[in-house]
């Protein structure tokens, strides 16, 4: 169990290092927009084309547990949860643009409709909600 915890801490540290420090320094004011489009590109690169693909990728990348919480005619609401999310929110990391872009890309592939997504931080619940709207 110790090795797994050390691995998780290492992955968390690396994610925090690049996402919360390095990339914002390099990208400046364009950080969120560039990371959103990078997320879309990642989804295309890894040929993620379904919700199940996303769930597996998020688990592998330690992005958190992804669940679909509501589906409507023109949108789908997702939630990101788990210890990774709690730790990131507790450290004031509010950057979830990569995940948002990946979700938008996969929903667009599944629905064959142009899709954009937006992020809402649920501070009390220590979760992140991502709403994918398609036209």
């Amino acid at each position: 169990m110790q090795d797994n915890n050390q691995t998780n801490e290492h992955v968390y540290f690396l994610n925090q290092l690049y996402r919360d420090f390095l990339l914002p320094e390099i990208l400046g004011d364009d950080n969120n927009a560039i990371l959103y489009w990078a997320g879309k590109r990642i989804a295309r690169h890894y040929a993620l084309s379904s919700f199940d693909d996303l769930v597996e990728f998020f688990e592998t990348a330690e992005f958190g547990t992804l669940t679909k919480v509501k589906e409507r005619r023109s949108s789908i609401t997702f939630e990101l949860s788990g210890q990774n999310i709690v730790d990131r929110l507790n450290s004031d990391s509010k950057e979830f643009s990569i995940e948002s872009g990946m979700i938008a890309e996969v929903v667009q592939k599944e629905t064959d409709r142009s899709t954009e997504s937006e992020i809402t931080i649920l501070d009390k619940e220590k979760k992140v909600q991502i709403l994918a709207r398609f036209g």
Side-chain angles (χ1 to χ4, degrees):
M1 188 73 157
Q2 180 74 1
D3 288 335
N4 193 28
N5 284 340
Q6 286 177 337
T7 300
N8 289 346
E9 287 176 14
H10 180 72
V11 170
Y12 173 74
F13 173 75
L14 289 175
N15 278 331
Q16 187 178 32
L17 180 67
Y18 79 77
R19 190 186 296 240
D20 296 331
F21 175 71
L22 185 58
L23 289 175
E25 286 290 317
I26 294 168
L27 302 174
D29 292 340
D30 296 324
N31 185 60
N32 291 352
I34 291 171
L35 292 182
Y36 178 84
W37 290 104
K40 291 175 84 66
R41 178 97 173 138
I42 290 167
R44 287 191 294 269
H45 177 78
Y46 287 99
L48 305 177
S49 59
S50 71
F51 175 70
D52 291 337
D53 290 345
L54 263 180
V55 169
E56 185 177 334
F57 186 94
F58 277 36
E59 287 176 14
T60 301
E62 304 229 4
F63 283 0
T65 302
L66 183 66
T67 52
K68 194 183 297 186
V69 293
K70 190 185 301 180
E71 198 162 347
R72 295 191 171 175
R73 201 167 29 112
S74 61
S75 67
I76 302 173
T77 304
F78 299 89
E79 278 185 0
L80 268 174
S81 61
Q83 191 61 51
N84 306 20
I85 302 304
V86 171
D87 291 345
R88 287 175 63 194
L89 293 175
N90 284 341
S91 70
D92 289 328
S93 175
K94 308 282 190 213
E95 177 50 60
F96 294 92
S97 298
I98 292 172
E99 294 90 339
S100 181
M102 292 177 73
I103 288 169
E105 183 67 23
V106 170
V107 169
Q108 183 166 314
K109 284 181 181 178
E110 282 190 321
T111 64
D112 201 30
R113 296 163 73 184
S114 179
T115 304
E116 297 296 328
S117 62
E118 58 190 57
I119 303 161
T120 303
I121 306 296
L122 305 174
D123 284 316
K124 287 183 182 179
E125 296 92 347
K126 297 292 183 191
K127 294 180 181 180
V128 175
Q129 194 171 75
I130 300 175
L131 176 65
R133 296 178 199 261
F134 35 88

